[in-house]
Amino acid sequence: ENPPKPKKPDNDNDNEDDTSFCHQCKYACSCCGIFTLGCVRNNCSSVGCKSSKISKTEMINELMSKVMSKRIPQIENYMRHPIEVQDELLMGLIDSAKNTIWGRYYDYKSITNWQDFAQRVPINDYNSLLPFFDRIRKGEDNVLWASQIKWFSKSSGTTSTKSKFIPVSEECLNDCHYKAGKDMLAMYCNNHPDTKVFSGMNLALGGSRQENEYNNDIFCGDVSAILIDNLPFWAELYRVPKKEIA
């Protein structure tokens, strides 16, 4: 439906300095009544006004906020049933790793609860797991985790004089790091319904990467570099600088 046609100026000539009307069809802007970049009328050839573009940004911000807030019921469910959630998560991880070298050694298939897991699998530190990490870095699959390991996160070495390399799976990125980021945004949007966080850009700077000494395709570097290198497409729309710089 076309917006109402306003009263023309006393001077019926097309005054190019008068921005209250579209100079092609003499209709006022449907959202602000002032044409700064063109006309939004369907049958007019102008491209739209500045206020229309602002309202689109606000619309995207509102839409993203609502999408994020839909995660809140699930977060609240986790808070109400923490033990059940942790049990389900543990058994899911055990089931995923049951056919790995590690899982077969500890017979993950027969583990039915956390008590079985605690009694059967000893507490390990980095040094006890290092031989398995080295096998993965050399390109061996199905050692500690079923899916292919494409990344190793380099620690800062705060607990020893030497940096540590921690395997990072695709499931770890999606179900831990990125899901945690989305949950953080969900809680923020829920607590601040008038937020404008999606109406602008966000500064994100990552760490460095280094070559894998075994000369294969496994990425080694800071965890922030791994995260930025694998961000979902929608996150890339709201961050600066470009991935190549960050």
Side-chain angles (χ1 to χ4, degrees):
E1 183 179 353
N2 292 328
K5 190 171 183 179
K7 181 180 178 182
K8 292 184 179 181
D10 293 335
N11 183 2
D12 197 31
N13 295 328
D14 288 343
N15 183 359
E16 294 184 356
D17 294 329
D18 181 10
T19 58
S20 298
F21 300 85
C22 172
H23 299 294
Q24 295 191 48
C25 68
K26 289 295 182 184
Y27 269 76
C29 175
S30 61
C31 57
C32 65
I34 299 177
F35 283 90
T36 53
L37 294 177
C39 183
V40 293
R41 192 179 178 211
N42 291 336
N43 60 353
C44 182
S45 60
S46 292
V47 294
C49 77
K50 184 183 296 183
S51 294
S52 294
K53 293 188 177 183
I54 294 174
S55 64
K56 288 179 182 178
T57 301
E58 293 175 347
M59 181 178 65
I60 293 173
N61 181 81
E62 183 178 355
L63 176 62
M64 289 296 293
S65 297
K66 288 182 178 179
V67 169
M68 288 297 172
S69 296
K70 289 184 177 181
R71 171 76 173 160
I72 294 299
Q74 193 167 9
I75 295 175
E76 292 176 341
N77 180 65
Y78 294 162
M79 297 169 64
R80 289 192 298 267
H81 308 285
I83 304 300
E84 294 84 353
V85 169
Q86 289 295 305
D87 282 342
E88 182 179 354
L89 177 60
L90 174 62
M91 296 310 299
L93 293 173
I94 291 173
D95 184 67
S96 296
K98 64 185 178 184
N99 292 318
T100 63
I101 293 172
W102 181 272
R104 292 197 300 269
Y105 181 82
Y106 288 108
D107 193 18
Y108 273 17
K109 287 184 178 181
S110 66
I111 293 177
T112 59
N113 52 53
W114 69 265
Q115 291 91 341
D116 291 344
F117 179 82
Q119 292 172 3
R120 188 175 306 172
V121 183
I123 296 175
N124 288 266
D125 59 14
Y126 181 80
N127 290 329
S128 64
L129 292 170
L130 185 57
F132 297 95
F133 293 166
D134 285 340
R135 292 169 65 175
I136 298 171
R137 287 182 66 195
K138 291 176 182 178
E140 187 174 351
D141 292 331
N142 209 41
V143 179
L144 296 173
W145 189 246
S147 64
Q148 183 182 14
I149 302 298
K150 302 177 183 178
W151 310 280
F152 266 81
S153 170
K154 181 183 177 183
S155 75
S156 59
T158 54
T159 57
S160 66
T161 57
K162 189 176 182 180
S163 295
K164 301 178 178 65
F165 289 90
I166 312 299
V168 179
S169 67
E170 186 171 354
E171 291 82 1
C172 178
L173 285 180
N174 293 327
D175 298 335
C176 181
H177 293 285
Y178 293 142
K179 183 172 285 187
K182 288 185 283 188
D183 285 352
M184 177 187 67
L185 282 172
M187 289 185 285
Y188 181 82
C189 293
N190 184 67
N191 294 333
H192 302 276
D194 296 328
T195 180
K196 303 297 181 184
V197 68
F198 296 106
S199 61
M201 304 299 288
N202 296 278
L203 177 66
L205 296 175
S208 61
R209 66 170 297 175
Q210 67 180 66
E211 296 299 324
N212 186 350
E213 61 185 277
Y214 298 111
N215 296 320
N216 54 33
D217 295 330
I218 294 178
F219 179 106
C220 295
D222 296 334
V223 66
S224 57
I226 297 173
L227 293 174
I228 286 180
D229 197 48
N230 295 277
L231 280 173
F233 77 94
W234 60 267
E236 286 290 342
L237 299 175
Y238 292 97
R239 62 168 297 274
V240 290
K242 295 289 186 180
K243 184 188 299 184
E244 294 75 13
I245 299 174

